[in-house]
Amino acid sequence: AQKVTQAQTEISVVEKEDVTLDCVYETRDTTYYLFWYKQPPSGELVFLIRRNSFDEQNEISGRYSWNFQKSTSSFNFTITASQVVDSAVYFCALSEASQGAQKLVFGQGTRLTINP
Amino acid sequence: DAGVIQSPRHEVTEMGQEVTLRCKPISGHNSLFWYRQTMMRGLELLIYFNNNVPIDDSGMPEDRFSAKMPNASFSTLKIQPSEPRDSAVYFCASSSPGGRAVFDEQFFGPGTRLTVL
């Protein structure tokens, strides 16, 4: 069965610090997809990134970067030089090809607070 | 471009009443998803449709919940009768699977906050 674990329930840092959000997943599929979503205080869910299981390249987008390691079943998210606007709940999610690939299973989320 | 539209944004009702939540997906998207978010259970997929056809409703909690998608631009999630434990934020999302990728990312609506007294 698919499962996503975000062990960090809450993280609080001071602005401009770097912060890494951990995501560990479980799946028996060889083809699967990993996602990160952001939920700011306004409540909507904002898509950040998608990764498939065959692409282990790390990705950088501005201050955001993602480290995908199949060997440790992890898909961690790093924010460099954090800003107050980064304060949100961040969700990691997984879908499996055998389940139709559209069925997202979310982790419990990490609440990130960036203090000025 | 308009994103996923949900209505109402807030709903307060009394136990036993029927509740209908509405969703308009992004134009051109052919997959639609209903999720529920609670503190205890987090984000859960309730049901999803491809081309207006329900594909997987295994997440629907019980028979009191039903969902329909009569056309490509409209879906409803109905709870009848409602109970206090149904209080949650209900999200609708849509995506446009196709091309080389099996699927595309899901775009979420703003959610409907339901409170059942």
Side-chain angles (χ1 to χ4, degrees):
Chain A
Q2 54 192 134
K3 183 180 178 182
V4 176
T5 302
Q6 295 180 254
Q8 304 151 307
T9 305
E10 294 191 29
I11 299 175
S12 181
V13 300
V14 177
E15 200 172 18
K16 297 184 183 177
E17 285 187 23
D18 299 347
V19 58
T20 295
L21 309 182
D22 297 334
C23 173
V24 174
Y25 61 91
E26 294 178 29
T27 177
R28 293 178 183 170
D29 276 29
T30 55
T31 302
Y32 53 90
Y33 307 87
L34 295 163
F35 303 78
W36 278 94
Y37 280 84
K38 174 182 179 180
Q39 187 174 39
S42 52
E44 74 274 21
L45 279 149
V46 179
F47 167 79
L48 295 178
I49 190 171
R50 175 188 71 214
R51 227 351 145 235
N52 72 53
S53 53
F54 300 110
D55 183 2
E56 278 195 83
Q57 275 193 327
N58 292 330
E59 180 151 340
I60 298 175
S61 176
R63 296 183 297 106
Y64 295 173
S65 62
W66 291 269
N67 184 297
F68 176 27
Q69 291 196 337
K70 289 176 72 170
S71 61
T72 55
S73 297
S74 65
F75 186 43
N76 296 337
F77 173 31
T78 297
I79 301 175
T80 303
S82 60
Q83 300 176 3
V84 172
V85 293
D86 296 327
S87 296
V89 181
Y90 290 86
F91 292 94
C92 181
L94 164 73
S95 68
E96 297 173 323
S98 66
Q99 298 294 315
Q102 294 178 285
K103 195 170 180 177
L104 281 179
V105 171
F106 285 86
Q108 285 298 101
T110 297
R111 182 177 298 277
L112 176 64
T113 301
I114 309 297
N115 299 299
Chain B
D1 286 344
V4 175
I5 299 172
Q6 290 187 248
S7 65
R9 294 293 308 277
H10 301 272
E11 176 81 30
V12 180
T13 190
E14 293 191 348
M15 183 173 63
Q17 296 298 306
E18 177 180 296
V19 175
T20 299
L21 310 182
R22 297 172 175 80
C23 176
K24 176 178 170 55
I26 293 172
S27 177
H29 283 190
N30 57 355
S31 294
L32 183 138
F33 307 79
W34 283 101
Y35 290 86
R36 179 172 67 175
Q37 185 177 32
T38 62
M39 288 295 293
M40 290 296 294
R41 300 177 65 91
L43 270 161
E44 306 172 278
L45 176 65
L46 300 178
I47 184 171
Y48 76 93
F49 297 82
N50 281 348
N51 297 313
N52 312 338
V53 176
I55 302 300
D56 186 335
D57 65 355
S58 59
M60 295 286 262
E62 47 196 278
D63 292 347
R64 297 184 297 106
F65 286 69
S66 62
K68 293 182 179 179
M69 192 163 186
N71 59 61
S73 58
F74 183 65
S75 176
T76 59
L77 178 67
K78 186 176 294 187
I79 308 173
Q80 165 63 18
S82 57
E83 296 183 3
R85 60 192 168 121
D86 301 330
S87 297
V89 179
Y90 291 82
F91 288 100
C92 177
S94 70
S95 72
S96 178
R100 280 197 317 124
V102 175
F103 70 100
D104 208 338
E105 60 267 22
Q106 295 176 22
F107 293 88
F108 283 73
T112 294
R113 183 174 295 276
L114 173 65
T115 303
V116 183
L117 304 174

